[in-house]
Amino acid sequence: MKKFLAAAAILVALPAIASAQDTAPDGTDAFGVEPYVGVLGGYHTFDRGSEFGAIPGETIMNGALISGIAGVNVPLGPVFVGVEGNATKGFSDIDWEYGVKGRFGARAGESGLIYASAGYQWVNGKGGWPDRKDWMYGAGVEVGPKEIGLGGVTGNSGVRLRVQVDTYDWDSFRPMAGVIFHF
């Protein structure tokens, strides 16, 4: 019952919170929908003790990656929530990776984001490596044009640079960097 009352109080207070802040730090509406697409590159390396194990003569499963992503953020004043999907082509031991994750974080400066993410990822190995699926966790930063001295070049919509690090069920290290096009 207490949980229900707390949820009801939050729902009642939400319109007041929404009207208290009309714009986000970058000057856009504080509440709305912000779709985006992007291209990231990086490297994925798994621990020897992971569920992928080790193939005789091989050290660990790893490989370079190029990833296409698409998602949507919902700004809530100075914070945001979102969902993102990825389709990733791997090289070396990784054939494909694909998944979906939720994101939440804070809007930083004029057009930047700091966030954490969690979701589900499928990894298809090649050359004897198995196909597996499990949880993926991560954190990242997006830097907009105003933070790197290019204010006015793209306006509020346009390009952000992203750096993120993910882990597949705490058994891997997956740094990625790239360009996000939001509109």
Side-chain angles (χ1 to χ4, degrees):
M1 184 67 167
K2 290 180 184 179
K3 291 180 185 178
F4 177 74
L5 291 174
I10 290 170
L11 287 175
V12 169
L14 195 56
I17 295 168
S19 65
Q21 187 164 355
D22 295 333
T23 62
D26 67 355
T28 59
D29 291 338
F31 299 91
V33 175
E34 297 176 346
Y36 63 90
V37 296
V39 177
L40 304 173
Y43 196 79
H44 202 166
T45 183
F46 289 84
D47 295 338
R48 186 180 308 269
S50 77
E51 61 205 63
F52 290 95
I55 295 176
E58 297 283 334
T59 55
I60 55 176
M61 182 175 169
N62 60 37
L65 305 171
I66 187 160
S67 183
I69 61 169
V72 63
N73 291 328
V74 177
L76 302 169
V79 298
F80 75 96
V81 296
V83 65
E84 176 177 293
N86 74 75
T88 303
K89 177 62 179 149
F91 302 94
S92 189
D93 302 328
I94 300 169
D95 191 18
W96 285 94
E97 293 186 2
Y98 44 97
V100 64
K101 59 186 175 180
R103 300 181 344 139
F104 62 94
R107 299 172 71 112
E110 295 286 328
S111 57
L113 302 173
I114 300 169
Y115 65 90
S117 63
Y120 214 69
Q121 188 82 358
W122 290 261
V123 177
N124 296 339
K126 64 181 177 182
W129 293 101
D131 297 346
R132 298 280 193 255
K133 57 186 183 281
D134 215 326
W135 291 100
M136 181 75 95
Y137 309 96
V141 175
E142 289 184 18
V143 179
K146 291 186 179 181
E147 277 71 38
I148 58 174
L150 298 175
V153 172
T154 61
N156 286 332
S157 64
V159 180
R160 289 184 179 142
L161 303 176
R162 179 190 285 188
V163 177
Q164 69 182 36
V165 176
D166 294 312
T167 181
Y168 177 89
D169 194 33
W170 308 108
D171 288 334
S172 73
F173 181 65
R174 186 179 186 251
M176 302 286 283
V179 180
I180 306 299
F181 302 93
H182 63 102
F183 40 98

